[in-house]
Amino acid sequence: TYINRILHPGDIYQVANRTGLALTAEHGNAVVVNIDGKPAGTLGKSADAVAAMSLDFGKVAAQYHAGAAQAPASAAPHP
């Protein structure tokens, strides 16, 4: 399944808690990753594009040192 969606500042997209999902963003530092409803950091450290970042919860949680909870992650553009 392929979903192409443009997120605007303030938009939130809650990611389904299933494996095999990935996110590509034109500006990595413009997207804030939330885990369990709390900001965990931006997708990227710079304005460079981020391609095919895994949205598997375990991988995202490990990347952002958020622990091993069972909730899905969400992504929202950073204003």
Side-chain angles (χ1 to χ4, degrees):
T1 304
Y2 179 80
I3 298 171
N4 185 9
R5 179 172 294 173
I6 295 173
L7 297 174
H8 301 281
D11 287 354
I12 295 173
Y13 179 75
Q14 183 149 347
V15 178
N17 192 8
R18 53 190 242 206
T19 60
L21 301 176
L23 175 71
T24 297
E26 186 174 335
H27 301 286
N29 64 349
V31 179
V32 174
V33 175
N34 293 315
I35 298 176
D36 291 336
K38 297 177 184 130
T42 59
L43 253 181
K45 304 256 185 244
S46 69
D48 294 339
V50 173
M53 177 189 154
S54 174
L55 293 177
D56 292 353
F57 181 75
K59 291 178 182 176
V60 173
Q63 179 176 350
Y64 290 95
H65 304 92
Q70 294 299 316
S74 63
H78 186 60

